[in-house]
């Protein structure tokens, strides 16, 4: 069922690259938060669960206008040679985890960062010192880990390309919730681009 959106979320330039539930709000992650808002370092977008339910049940079928949540990045974009945007989002309690795509010269490089969500969902503040390199499994143009999730007290990240020929021996990278590497978890081949995941 198509869900009609309004405001910045309806613009192609929002480039929504991920989404995840934070309590009773569906959070939408723009690849470049600055493109949709001048607040903070840009904004993420939130849709209350009840508003979605009302839409599905036909109680309110007007296009949904998501609420803007300012994000404060702490300048992490300047910590990498080329910043190519936020790719994935996950939550654990009041903590947020984001996957970032960047470049180190001609080579792709993935990054992870964590942050805190204010209790009233009025802002998201990233911890610049938590920025962690997450090298891609294979050297492919415009490919890094573009899906993440928190499960079993761990953060799992997934490379975008996991086809049997494109990336034989594919795996999920495992981190603890402080972004310390914890090894790998074998996954079966997936013959399409993997760009988001949910618990």
């Amino acid at each position: 069922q198509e869900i009609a959106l309004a405001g910045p979320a309806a613009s192609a330039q929002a480039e929504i690259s991920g989404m995840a539930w934070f309590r009773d709000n569906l959070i939408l992650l723009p690849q470049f938060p600055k493109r949709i808002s001048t607040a903070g370092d840009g904004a993420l977008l939130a849709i209350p669960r009840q508003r979605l339910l009302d839409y599905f049940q036909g109680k309110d079928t007007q296009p949904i206008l998501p609420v803007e949540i300012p994000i404060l990045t702490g300048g992490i974009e300047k910590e990498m040679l080329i910043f190519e945007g936020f790719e994935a989002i996950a939550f654990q309690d009041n903590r947020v985890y984001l996957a970032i795509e960047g470049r180190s010269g001609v080579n792709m490089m993935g990054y992870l960062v964590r942050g805190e969500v204010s209790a009233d969902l009025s802002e998201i503040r990233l911890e610049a010192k938590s920025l962690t390199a997450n090298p891609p499994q294979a050297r492919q143009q415009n490919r890094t880990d573009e899906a993440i999730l928190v499960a079993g007290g761990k953060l799992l990240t997934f490379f975008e390309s996991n086809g049997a020929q494109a990336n034989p021996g594919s795996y999920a990278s495992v981190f603890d919730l402080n972004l310390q590497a914890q090894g790998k978890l074998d996954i079966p081949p997936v013959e399409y681009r993997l760009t988001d995941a949910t618990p």
Side-chain angles (χ1 to χ4, degrees):
Q1 181 177 350
E2 183 175 299
I3 304 169
L5 300 178
S11 167
Q13 96 171 4
E15 290 191 65
I16 303 300
S17 58
M19 59 184 173
W21 287 104
F22 176 74
R23 299 180 184 153
D24 277 332
N25 288 278
L26 184 63
I27 307 300
L28 308 180
L29 174 68
Q31 187 169 349
F32 299 99
K34 285 184 180 180
R35 288 184 181 173
I36 66 163
S37 177
T38 57
D41 295 313
L44 276 57
L45 301 166
I47 302 173
R49 185 187 303 266
Q50 189 59 53
R51 180 66 180 89
L52 287 168
L53 292 174
D54 288 347
Y55 190 94
F56 293 139
Q57 295 165 3
K59 296 177 182 175
D60 185 349
T61 57
Q62 292 299 308
I64 296 173
L65 178 63
V67 177
E68 293 185 12
I69 307 167
I71 183 169
L72 304 172
T73 66
I76 59 170
E77 301 92 333
K78 298 180 179 128
E79 298 296 318
M80 53 201 78
L81 189 59
I82 301 174
F83 172 76
E84 294 198 353
F86 295 103
E87 297 292 352
I89 187 168
F91 295 95
Q92 175 68 28
D93 299 324
N94 281 353
R95 186 155 282 177
V96 63
Y97 297 89
L98 297 169
I100 300 169
E101 187 169 84
R103 286 183 190 270
S104 177
V106 297
N107 297 323
M108 301 302 300
M109 176 58 74
Y111 300 88
L112 298 171
V113 67
R114 70 180 185 189
E116 293 291 325
V117 184
S118 62
D120 60 358
L121 201 56
S122 61
E123 71 174 23
I124 293 174
R125 186 178 296 268
L126 302 184
E127 300 171 11
K129 64 182 180 183
S130 73
L131 188 67
T132 301
N134 186 20
Q137 296 174 31
R139 187 172 288 184
Q140 297 179 11
Q141 183 68 20
N142 197 29
R143 299 283 191 272
T144 56
D145 286 24
E146 290 201 8
I148 63 176
L149 63 84
V150 175
K154 304 289 185 185
L155 181 72
L156 307 179
T157 75
F158 301 88
F159 190 59
E160 183 176 356
S161 178
N162 295 285
Q165 295 197 13
N167 183 21
S170 58
Y171 58 85
S173 297
V174 183
F175 296 83
D176 67 19
L177 297 184
N178 293 315
L179 300 184
Q180 299 298 308
Q182 302 288 300
K184 303 171 183 177
L185 179 66
D186 290 339
I187 60 173
V190 179
E191 299 298 337
Y192 49 85
R193 290 174 61 200
L194 184 57
T195 61
D196 210 349
T198 174

